[in-house]
């Protein structure tokens, strides 16, 4: 199963490389005021993203204070840690934060990426319009990691046309996690993973705090009316450096929609005679 539900305790969700999942580690911490979490990056480059609350992070002889009301209130600062970095996280309030990593050689130093360095773009059109924030995009220095925050409004789609980056059809092999936040919290999204070549086809109900893995294939997302959907993407795979900007490959059955985002919708009403007035 490629879906993890949030659990009680400090570590809400977590995934590590195992089996065919080779590169990407990801976990979410929930800390109460005064609680401390420490660790060491080992052979990984790590990126820390605040999701809500205030934390103090000590790493590399420096101290950083990161804060965010919630994911819908604005962009974060992202703390990048190279391999071999010890870190200490102290919650200054109730806080939630994401950490993820990938194997690296230590080419880049510890750095805090601020919102003004991040690219924000509007992708798609019609009811496939969404905002993609490149919070650690390929334009920023990292070895394997790429991070995005995606906002899909009520009634809209994202990840459209469906695309893949699993080593098939000339794409690079890149693993990806989706960490969902929904507004309101009782809302939901629909996430599909499908790979026609090997029979993978799963339709997943994504609720607030769920983590969904994309092991291969295409992976579109729908936000039903009344649910505004955020997801945090951590990505890592065989691409390094500038190659992280390599585009995915669209599903040929849907690639035409880049020229017609409305998708030739039906005109309503159908089969109803219109009364003439007067």
């Amino acid at each position: 199963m490629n879906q993890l539900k949030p659990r009680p305790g400090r570590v809400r969700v977590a995934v590590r490389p195992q089996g065919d999942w080779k590169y990407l580690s990801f976990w979410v911490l929930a800390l109460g005021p005064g609680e401390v979490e420490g660790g060491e990056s080992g052979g990984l480059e790590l990126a820390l993203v605040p999701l809500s609350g205030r934390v103090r992070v000590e790493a590399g002889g420096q101290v950083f204070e990161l804060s965010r009301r919630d994911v819908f209130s604005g962009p974060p600062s992202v703390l990048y840690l190279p391999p071999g970095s010890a870190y200490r996280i102290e919650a200054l309030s109730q806080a939630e934060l994401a950490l993820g990593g990938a194997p690296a050689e230590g080419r880049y130093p510890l750095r805090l990426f601020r919102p003004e360095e991040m690219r924000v773009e509007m992708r798609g059109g019609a009811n496939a319009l969404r905002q993609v924030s490149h919070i650690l995009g390929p334009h920023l220095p990292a070895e394997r990691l790429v991070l995005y925050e995606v906002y899909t409004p009520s009634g809209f789609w994202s990840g459209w046309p469906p695309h893949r980056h699993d080593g098939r059809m000339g794409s690079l092999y890149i693993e990806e996690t989706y960490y969902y936040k929904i507004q309101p919290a009782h809302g939901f999204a629909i996430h599909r993973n499908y790979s026609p070549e090997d029979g993978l086809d799963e339709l997943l109900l994504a609720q607030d705090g769920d983590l969904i893995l994309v092991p291969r294939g295409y992976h579109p997302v729908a936000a039903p009316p009344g649910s505004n959907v955020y997801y945090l993407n951590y990505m890592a795979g065989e691409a390094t450096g500038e190659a992280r900007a390599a585009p995915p490959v669209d599903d040929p059955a849907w690639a035409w929609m880049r020229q017609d985002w409305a998708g030739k919708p039906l005109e309503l009403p159908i089969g109803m005679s219109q009364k003439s007035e007067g």
Side-chain angles (χ1 to χ4, degrees):
M1 171 60 74
N2 295 311
Q3 182 171 20
L4 299 173
K5 291 289 183 181
R7 59 196 183 200
R10 183 172 293 190
V11 180
R12 302 303 304 278
V13 289
V15 62
R16 304 278 187 177
Q18 58 177 340
D20 293 335
W21 190 266
K22 303 174 184 177
Y23 292 97
L24 186 58
S25 299
F26 178 83
W27 63 104
V28 173
L29 295 175
L31 301 176
E35 290 188 331
V36 173
E37 180 79 13
E40 210 267 349
S41 61
L44 306 179
E45 58 177 357
L46 292 180
L48 186 157
V49 177
L51 301 172
S52 64
R54 295 173 56 235
V55 297
R56 178 185 292 119
V57 184
E58 299 176 16
Q62 302 182 62
V63 178
F64 305 89
E65 288 198 8
L66 307 177
S67 64
R68 196 177 193 185
R69 189 176 71 189
D70 58 53
V71 299
F72 291 100
S73 63
S77 293
V78 175
L79 183 60
Y80 175 86
L81 303 178
S85 298
Y87 60 89
R88 180 182 184 273
I89 302 168
E90 179 184 359
L92 305 178
S93 70
Q94 191 71 33
E96 186 181 35
L97 57 150
L99 295 96
E105 298 176 0
R107 299 176 187 171
Y108 301 104
L110 182 150
R111 179 172 169 179
L112 182 68
F113 295 107
R114 300 187 182 277
E116 56 267 25
E117 301 178 82
M118 300 169 184
R119 288 180 48 219
V120 176
E121 66 171 311
M122 304 302 294
R123 285 187 185 171
N127 66 332
L129 182 68
R130 64 276 192 190
Q131 176 178 315
V132 179
S133 299
H134 301 237
I135 63 172
L136 182 51
H139 70 292
L140 296 174
E143 292 189 48
R144 295 185 189 275
L145 284 175
V146 179
L147 277 63
Y148 299 106
E149 291 186 324
V150 180
Y151 296 88
T152 309
S154 159
F156 283 51
W157 287 74
S158 62
W160 200 263
H163 59 266
R164 72 191 314 162
H165 38 74
D166 56 4
R168 287 190 167 108
M169 298 175 63
S171 67
L172 293 177
Y173 176 79
I174 299 175
E175 297 161 354
E176 184 172 17
T177 55
Y178 279 61
Y179 183 64
Y180 280 92
K181 288 291 185 180
I182 314 292
Q183 187 185 66
H186 66 265
F188 63 94
I190 301 297
H191 179 119
R192 185 185 181 196
N193 289 329
Y194 68 99
S195 177
E197 296 84 357
D198 57 24
L200 172 68
D201 198 347
E202 55 185 7
L203 196 63
L204 302 171
L205 177 67
Q207 297 176 293
D208 191 71
D210 284 355
L211 176 66
I212 292 179
L213 281 60
V214 178
R216 61 190 186 278
Y218 307 102
H219 39 279
V221 174
S227 293
N228 292 302
V229 173
Y230 158 97
Y231 52 81
L232 170 62
N233 292 142
Y234 274 66
M235 304 174 68
E238 64 182 3
T240 60
E242 295 181 357
R244 296 176 300 142
V249 174
D250 290 340
D251 182 343
W254 297 104
W256 60 271
M257 291 200 68
R258 290 191 181 275
Q259 284 70 53
D260 178 11
W261 288 109
K264 302 177 177 60
L266 290 171
E267 293 188 12
L268 302 179
I270 293 174
M272 296 174 62
S273 61
Q274 302 214 1
K275 290 185 178 180
S276 59
E277 295 185 3

